[in-house]
Each structure stands twice: as structure tokens, then as C-alpha cells.
Amino acid sequence: MHRSAPRLSRILACAAVPVMLVVAGCSSDSDDAKSSGASASPSAKKSEPTVEAAKFASLPDACASIGKKTIEDLVPKTKNKGGTPGKSSDTTSRGGCSWNGLDDNGVKGSQYRWLDVGFTRFESDQSLGSGAKRATAEYTKQVAKAQATEDAKKLSAEPVTGLGEQATSVTYGLKKSDEDFEYATIVTRTENVVVTLTYNGAGFAGAKSPSAADILKGAKKAAEEAVSAVGGDGDKSSVSPSAKASSSSSSKESDTSSSGAGSSPSPKTGAKSSSKAVAKS
């Protein structure tokens, strides 16, 4: 009995050895995992995507954005054929111009016309979004502003096709100084620029006021010229340098991917993407 006690102690001691080895092994694996995680390369982290570059880097001269012939037709007897420029502390981001005139026909009455055009350009910003996205928000704001005109009668908002990426016309009647005015506002977004054009008119001294259809027709014609002026009529200097770099990079990548041996060239199509018109009535 006394000899069995030491023997039992030796057996228990031996049995404990594998357990200690297992614990030590687990501890070693855990330390290796921590060490591996701490040495992970920073490049493994996902980088924040960059916003799309703004297409247009400048704005046209607002007073030259609408042709002289159009001004003569829409605003007869205009006081200043060259237009009255709006005040702006940053002409690359905001600009505007207006014309007004009274065609006095004596006892036959008179016709009054007023035309105004405004441009707002947005740059792409990492925290605020792309120039096009910011311009879309401004476009929606301007359409809502026109629709919220106080005391407007027979107000109507309709999409305008074939003008920029988005375009809406807002028409309404308004009584001012006992005269019935007809209004038409065309709001257009072309890439990162918003163009807001308003045309209105009224008959004085017994003369008949212009029809809503004629005012809208005139507004659309002027808006088409103003929107066309944003592109600089093909003047590449109006395109943002960052947009040029982005386009050049995309073109090079496309050339590289299609230059492999045995690859067939991409088919060419003459189809053009249609313009989108969005309106909120």
C-alpha cells in the first residue's frame, strides 16, 4: 500500500504532460494569427471611389448665348440689344442676361416682352458628388420654384424632349398691373450645367396679350440656343481638364483591350443615345 502512492503520483504527472503541450500549441497559434493580422498591407484596404469628372469647366457669355435675330423676333423694340448682364462674383459658375422691350403702336395698343436666361455650373466634389449629380439637384429645385409661382393661373409642367439630359417647361398666366401676362419657363440640365430661361409678354392699352402657345414656342427656341452655347459649339476649351483626362484614359484602355491577337474589331453603330426628359407635375 505504501509503495503504490509514489507510483500513482508518477502516472498523474505523466498524464499531465500532453495537456500542457496542447495548451502551449494553441497559445502559439493564437500569437501567430495576431502577428499575421498586424502585418497586413495597407494596400489591402478598399480605396474610396472617386467621383466622375465634371464635363464643362466654364460658362458661355450669357448675353451672347442667344442669337441677335432671335432677340429681335422675341423682344421687339428691345431697350438694349446687347442685353443686360446679371451680376456674378464667379462668372465660371454663374451667369445671366436679360432683355425687355415695349413695342408701342399708339392707339392700337402696345406689346411688352421680357426674356431672361441664367446659367449655373457645378464642379465635381468628393464629398458632395459629381457635377452632374449636383446639377440634377439644382434642376429639380428650379422646376419646383417655377411651379410655386404665387397667384399663377392655368399652371402646367411638361417634359421637353431633345434638349439636354433633362428639360421641363412650366407655363402659366399671371395678372400684373391689371394686365394679363403669359409666362413660359424652360429649365434644362446639360451635364453639369443648369440653364433656366424665362419668357413672358402682355398686351397694353387694349392690345391683345400673346397666346400661351406663342410664348412657349418662343421660349423653346431661345432655350435651344442657350443650351447649345454651353457646349461652346465644339469649342474643346469649355471642357473640364479632368474630364478630358478621364476620356483619354478610357480611350487608351479600350484600344489596349481590343489590340490582342486574333481579336475582332468592335462593330460601329450610328445610333445616338436619346435625351431624357424628366418633369414633376
Side-chain angles (χ1 to χ4, degrees), residues 78-141:
T78 181
K79 293 180 180 180
N80 184 2
K81 293 183 178 180
T84 302
K87 295 181 180 180
S88 175
S89 58
D90 183 3
T91 55
T92 63
S93 297
R94 291 181 180 276
C97 192
S98 62
W99 299 260
N100 69 84
L102 180 67
D103 186 6
D104 190 348
N105 294 307
V107 295
K108 294 182 179 181
S110 304
Q111 288 292 330
Y112 175 79
R113 297 291 186 275
W114 185 80
L115 177 67
D116 176 86
V117 64
F119 298 86
T120 307
R121 187 186 68 87
F122 295 88
E123 275 290 358
S124 292
D125 186 279
Q126 189 65 33
S127 61
L128 299 176
S130 69
K133 179 181 178 180
R134 298 175 66 194
T136 299
E138 176 66 14
Y139 164 81
T140 302
K141 177 182 176 181

Side-chain angles (χ1 to χ4, degrees), residues 12-232:
L12 292 175
C14 291
V17 173
V19 176
M20 294 174 65
L21 291 175
V22 172
V23 172
C26 292
S27 176
S28 178
D29 291 343
S30 177
D31 291 341
D32 290 344
K34 290 181 180 179
S35 176
S36 176
S39 62
S41 172
S43 62
K45 297 180 180 179
K46 291 183 179 180
S47 59
E48 186 178 354
T50 56
V51 296
E52 181 184 1
K55 181 173 182 179
F56 299 113
S58 61
L59 292 175
D61 178 352
C63 290
S65 65
I66 301 174
K68 293 182 178 180
K69 180 63 169 61
T70 299
I71 296 298
E72 291 177 0
D73 291 342
L74 300 183
V75 191
K77 306 295 183 181
T78 181
K79 293 180 180 180
N80 184 2
K81 293 183 178 180
T84 302
K87 295 181 180 180
S88 175
S89 58
D90 183 3
T91 55
T92 63
S93 297
R94 291 181 180 276
C97 192
S98 62
W99 299 260
N100 69 84
L102 180 67
D103 186 6
D104 190 348
N105 294 307
V107 295
K108 294 182 179 181
S110 304
Q111 288 292 330
Y112 175 79
R113 297 291 186 275
W114 185 80
L115 177 67
D116 176 86
V117 64
F119 298 86
T120 307
R121 187 186 68 87
F122 295 88
E123 275 290 358
S124 292
D125 186 279
Q126 189 65 33
S127 61
L128 299 176
S130 69
K133 179 181 178 180
R134 298 175 66 194
T136 299
E138 176 66 14
Y139 164 81
T140 302
K141 177 182 176 181
Q142 289 300 324
V143 171
K145 182 179 179 181
Q147 290 178 301
T149 301
E150 189 174 356
D151 298 327
K153 299 178 180 179
K154 297 181 180 180
L155 188 147
S156 176
E158 299 291 340
V160 179
T161 59
L163 194 60
E165 277 70 48
Q166 295 173 286
T168 297
S169 67
V170 181
T171 58
Y172 55 90
L174 197 63
K175 197 170 188 67
K176 298 193 303 181
S177 303
D178 295 327
E179 306 296 343
D180 294 319
F181 281 74
E182 289 295 339
Y183 276 77
T185 295
I186 308 290
V187 184
T188 308
R189 179 184 71 82
T190 175
E191 296 292 346
N192 59 311
V193 175
V194 175
V195 182
T196 304
L197 182 139
T198 298
Y199 181 48
N200 69 66
F204 285 84
K208 186 178 180 180
S209 291
S211 68
D214 285 343
I215 290 295
L216 178 59
K217 181 179 179 181
K220 286 182 177 179
K221 177 176 175 56
E224 287 172 357
E225 294 183 14
V227 171
S228 177
V230 174

